[in-house]
């Protein structure tokens, strides 16, 4: 079976179930699993670091809040970017923001600025939006009759990595 992926600027014919689909799904799965471990660890470690750097245990709850705010704030701009330029630029941009956020979090811990650590954690939260976006990138490559099944199995994969990171 073959299909056509359409975008605003070009059409890319591909064969469903072919090497392009397998390679893309492998890359998406590996990225989602690795990102899931980072996301799971960043919430736990972020809360501990915020309490340590600020000297106030009550600030530790800010980690999950800023993480969620970062994920929510990135979802619409990443969706717009995916619509205009394709899912790959949106996935790359979101992951780059999350990587810079990790660097900001490390730097803020070194210099002892808890508010900067909160900004870094919010930037890491963008990785959560990227994980959600990768599900739909995977579903785009599924055969039309198998999209719902493939999307549900992809959702299970992306949830299992963060869960196992807390073990």
């Amino acid at each position: 079976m073959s299909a056509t992926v359409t975008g605003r600027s070009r059409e890319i014919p591909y064969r469903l179930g072919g090497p392009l689909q397998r390679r893309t799904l492998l890359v998406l799965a590996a990225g989602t699993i690795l990102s899931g471990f980072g996301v799971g660890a960043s919430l736990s470690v972020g809360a501990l670091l915020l309490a340590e750097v600020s000297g106030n245990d009550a600030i530790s709850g800010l980690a999950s809040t800023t993480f969620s705010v970062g994920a929510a704030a990135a979802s619409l701009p990443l969706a717009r970017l995916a619509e205009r330029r394709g899912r790959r630029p949106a996935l790359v941009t979101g992951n780059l923001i999350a990587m810079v956020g990790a660097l900001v979090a490390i730097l803020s811990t070194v210099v002892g600025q808890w508010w900067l650590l909160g900004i870094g954690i919010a930037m890491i939260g963008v990785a959560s939006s990227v994980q959600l976006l990768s599900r739909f990138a995977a579903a785009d490559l599924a055969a039309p009759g198998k999209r719902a099944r493939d999307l549900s199995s992809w959702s299970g994969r992306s949830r299992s990595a963060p869960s196992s990171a807390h073990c």
Side-chain angles (χ1 to χ4, degrees), residues 5 12-15 17-25 88 141:
V5 175
I12 304 170
Y14 70 93
R15 182 152 175 76
L20 173 65
Q21 180 184 14
R22 284 190 297 275
R23 181 180 61 97
T24 303
L25 290 177
R88 182 181 298 175
L141 294 174

Side-chain angles (χ1 to χ4, degrees), residues 79-154:
R80 285 189 188 119
L81 181 60
E83 182 182 28
R84 281 193 313 253
R85 301 247 169 100
R87 294 200 198 276
R88 182 181 298 175
L91 292 169
V92 169
T93 301
N95 280 321
L96 285 173
I97 292 169
M99 287 176 16
V100 169
L103 294 174
V104 168
I106 292 167
L107 175 68
S108 66
T109 303
V110 170
V111 298
Q113 298 296 318
W114 68 267
W115 59 271
L116 189 58
L117 179 57
I119 292 170
I121 293 171
M123 293 172 72
I124 294 170
V126 174
S128 181
S129 288
V130 170
Q131 283 185 329
L132 295 172
L133 183 62
S134 70
R135 293 178 188 180
F136 296 103
D140 283 347
L141 294 174
K146 297 180 180 180
R147 282 198 175 134
R149 185 199 67 190
D150 289 355
L151 182 60
S152 66
S153 70
W154 190 262

